[in-house]
Amino acid sequence: MRATGSLAGLWRLPLAPRSSLPSFAGARWHRNRQMNLRAVQAGSEMPTKVPAPPQMVNLQAGFPPTRGIVFDMDGTLVQPSIDFKTMRAKTGIRQGDLFTQMQLWEDESRIESAMEVIEELEASATAKGALVPMTGLARLLEMLREAEIHVALVTRNTMSSVKAFFDLLEDDRLVSLFSVVLTREFRHVKPDKRIMQHIADEWGMHPSELMMVGDSKEDVEVGNAGGSMTCLVLGGGNEVQSSTRNTIKEGNPTLSVSGLEELADAIEAGLQSPPQPASLTSVLKPLEMDFIDQLFIRGHLQAGYCTFPRLTKAFGCDDVSTYLGDTVLHHECSDGFLTKLFGSLGITVTGSDSDPANLDLVRARGLHCLAPPDIKHASFNASIAYADDWLYGAAWSRNAAAVASALKAMASAVKPGGTVAVELAMDGNAAEMWDALPPGFLSEANAEPMRLKDVIDVAPKELRVLSSEVVIRELTFSSAGEVARDVVGQVERNGGSAAGVEEVVEGSGITRVGLRRGRVVFRR
């Protein structure tokens, strides 16, 4: 079966009368709608006519209403049946994301052989009678159908597996719910955040009005990176990533449920509850993602057209593009969370970290990485560093000599005309919190912070400033206790002692923490 329209991977199954199927090429819902102001502030243009459904779900206090739900398939809507153990053994990919690893391969025949193994095992998993629906699936879909909530399906599997899933439903009315279906034949594949924007554009919505539902960390990452709500379905059974990161926005779902029955209960309650005021921070993308987006928007980085350019032919994608995007070196990449997001945007990325333990975590994600001494001179289009600790930034961001040394190393890695970009914690960071801490606590954090001008002044002579700015962001927490728990986690992850800090911060009543970050882009 072929895709209708010009978008490969965007499918419409002729299982219901065309009049009952929402069609992007044909009839749409059109009505004037004023977009949530905070969503517009988060960076989206306001459409004049959009196919907005008449209902919305208020699932989480402090978040915008959900108008569209994007489902993963395997392990979320159907019980997992793919034999990943055999798949890894036959492809030779022992750890890390399969497609991320294969994207590093330059041998086309090796890619084709691995895809043959993957497709064979996927076919076995979707053979007649092999797919079993998750408990509560029919009730959930019927509820969404009656509420006229937009529904999409996003899977890294094939259209054949989706067809098997739709056959399992045995109800054309439920099949017609899925107005957008994206498989790996589409140009963007999870965890590429462009998926969420694509679906939002098709529905005339802002990504903050969507919720990504899935059973894996990858599902959570793609939703969070896209600025959408996320729901983790626990116990789905698919592979669990070997490395995790539990920060406020990036790795944690908006809500977690034990299964589809619990999700249906939450939606039923949400349909009946009045809208709640939305916090501005709830519709903003993670700070790291904002940093990446700005580099693309301002032309400092060039992305590949497809998520995995080397795999598009093997995926059967009609939008075949072999452009690999810029080559990027990600300095001090920690466990590789941000590195993976770079790599999922058609960027050929290499992580680097001074801590060997972090390099092991990056490799576990299936990413390429190098120890600092192994980085070749002038071999990248761009060299990027992001001080991701919102509490007080990376240690080198507080010391001019350390910053100068880091910038020199970053500059030496880029080709002539290449880009060096850094973002780090600046003065005034979390000042409200520091006032509540006892004297002498976190002495490093209370040291005189760098200013934006200081960073520019210590840059190597061969670097010229392209842009510089101060990014101010305020994080709003539900309680002082939540702030305190996050502070404890930040302190302990950086080797400090958190004794007594929870009581001090919780007793202060702090629920808002101001972030002041410096962002500088240089050209070599």
Side-chain angles (χ1 to χ4, degrees):
M1 181 175 290
R2 304 297 298 166
T4 62
S6 60
L7 294 177
L10 179 62
W11 301 81
R12 321 229 197 284
L13 294 178
L15 300 177
R18 176 167 292 276
S19 61
S20 67
L21 285 169
S23 172
F24 303 134
R28 297 186 185 216
W29 290 298
H30 285 293
R31 70 176 57 205
N32 293 320
R33 176 172 63 90
Q34 182 172 351
M35 183 168 287
N36 181 287
L37 174 61
R38 293 182 174 86
V40 175
Q41 289 176 312
S44 174
E45 296 182 1
M46 185 182 295
T48 55
K49 281 184 175 292
V50 295
Q55 287 281 8
M56 63 183 73
V57 186
N58 302 296
L59 285 169
Q60 190 83 339
F63 283 81
T66 297
R67 298 180 183 272
I69 297 182
V70 182
F71 285 104
D72 168 55
M73 188 175 75
D74 298 289
T76 301
L77 301 181
V78 296
Q79 295 182 15
S81 56
I82 299 175
D83 185 354
F84 283 106
K85 184 177 181 180
T86 300
M87 186 179 292
R88 289 190 175 278
K90 289 189 174 183
T91 59
I93 304 174
R94 301 294 179 180
Q95 63 177 0
D97 178 68
L98 291 164
F99 294 158
T100 301
Q101 282 276 26
M102 291 167 62
Q103 172 62 26
L104 299 175
W105 299 350
E106 297 182 3
D107 186 347
E108 187 173 329
S109 62
R110 185 184 181 190
I111 293 174
E112 291 177 352
S113 296
M115 283 306 303
E116 288 177 1
V117 170
I118 292 172
E119 289 171 357
E120 179 183 352
L121 291 170
E122 287 175 340
S124 299
T126 57
K128 188 172 183 179
L131 288 184
V132 178
M134 285 291 193
T135 302
L137 174 62
R139 176 200 168 199
L140 173 63
L141 294 182
E142 183 61 32
M143 182 183 301
L144 295 174
R145 187 188 70 82
E146 291 180 358
E148 299 185 60
I149 299 296
H150 281 313
V151 178
L153 184 68
V154 175
T155 175
R156 303 214 305 180
N157 214 312
T158 64
M159 191 55 208
S160 297
S161 66
V162 173
K163 175 64 165 61
F165 166 63
F166 284 163
D167 288 344
L168 184 70
L169 293 179
E170 297 181 341
D171 187 335
D172 291 352
R173 296 177 307 165
L174 298 184
V175 172
S176 67
L177 267 178
F178 296 90
S179 59
V180 178
V181 175
L182 302 181
T183 68
R184 66 168 176 256
E185 290 97 339
F186 186 57
R187 62 181 178 271
H188 300 151
V189 181
K190 290 186 295 187
D192 193 326
K193 73 184 188 71
R194 291 177 288 186
I195 290 173
M196 304 307 294
Q197 186 63 59
H198 172 82
I199 295 173
D201 289 344
E202 289 292 341
W203 289 340
M205 300 179 188
H206 188 274
S208 66
E209 297 177 291
L210 308 184
M211 181 171 71
M212 178 71 208
V213 179
D215 69 314
S216 72
K217 183 174 178 62
E218 191 170 73
D219 297 315
V220 174
E221 287 178 347
V222 69
N224 286 355
S228 303
M229 289 180 63
T230 53
C231 174
L232 179 64
V233 181
L234 301 172
N238 274 330
E239 290 190 306
V240 177
Q241 295 295 324
S242 55
S243 65
T244 61
R245 168 178 171 150
N246 293 313
T247 54
I248 299 169
K249 299 286 285 185
E250 295 83 352
N252 288 345
T254 312
L255 67 155
S256 298
V257 295
S258 59
L260 298 186
E261 287 280 9
E262 185 177 344
L263 177 59
D265 290 341
I267 291 175
E268 186 174 40
L271 287 168
Q272 299 171 2
S273 65
Q276 300 292 323
S279 165
L280 176 59
T281 58
S282 69
V283 297
L284 290 172
K285 297 174 184 176
L287 287 167
E288 292 97 328
M289 220 50 253
D290 180 61
F291 175 49
I292 293 177
D293 286 348
Q294 289 302 313
L295 294 179
F296 285 119
I297 290 170
R298 302 184 185 197
H300 302 316
L301 289 180
Q302 297 297 320
Y305 179 66
C306 300
T307 304
F308 299 111
R310 286 196 175 107
L311 309 185
T312 53
K313 182 178 178 181
F315 284 172
C317 179
D318 287 345
D319 294 326
V320 174
S321 172
T322 56
Y323 173 59
L324 300 180
D326 281 345
T327 56
V328 173
L329 178 66
H330 180 203
H331 285 263
E332 298 302 320
C333 63
S334 186
D335 67 357
F337 167 80
L338 185 59
T339 318
K340 183 178 179 182
L341 290 181
F342 268 117
S344 69
L345 292 170
I347 291 290
T348 305
V349 63
T350 297
S352 178
D353 199 278
S354 54
D355 186 346
N358 280 336
L359 294 181
D360 289 338
L361 294 175
V362 176
R363 294 188 187 97
R365 289 183 182 269
L367 300 167
H368 183 241
C369 60
L370 293 171
D374 298 329
I375 298 172
K376 293 182 179 179
H377 178 74
S379 54
F380 296 90
N381 298 120
S383 192
I384 309 297
Y386 180 92
D388 65 343
D389 188 333
W390 68 262
L391 186 61
Y392 55 87
W396 60 265
S397 71
R398 301 284 165 174
N399 182 286
V403 171
S405 176
L407 288 174
K408 184 175 181 180
M410 294 176 69
S412 67
V414 300
K415 302 173 182 178
T419 298
V420 174
V422 298
E423 182 168 323
L424 61 159
M426 304 297 293
D427 53 336
N429 182 34
E432 184 179 7
M433 185 176 294
W434 302 138
D435 291 342
L437 296 176
F441 186 78
L442 289 179
S443 57
E444 182 183 41
N446 288 324
E448 185 65 26
M450 299 278 302
R451 296 171 300 173
L452 197 60
K453 183 176 182 298
D454 296 333
V455 179
I456 296 173
D457 288 346
V458 300
K461 293 181 179 179
E462 66 267 28
L463 294 181
R464 60 185 178 89
V465 180
L466 284 184
S467 65
S468 62
E469 62 183 323
V470 174
V471 182
I472 300 176
R473 187 75 62 90
E474 182 182 89
L475 293 185
T476 302
F477 296 82
S478 62
S479 67
E482 185 178 326
V483 179
R485 287 188 292 275
D486 194 75
V487 171
V488 169
Q490 295 282 0
V491 173
E492 291 179 343
R493 280 197 293 274
N494 287 276
S497 171
V501 65
E502 186 164 359
E503 292 79 5
V504 172
V505 178
E506 187 166 6
S508 71
I510 295 171
T511 57
R512 297 190 308 276
V513 179
L515 308 181
R516 187 178 178 88
R517 307 184 62 83
R519 181 180 296 163
V520 192
V521 178
F522 302 93
R523 177 62 53 81
R524 188 170 188 268

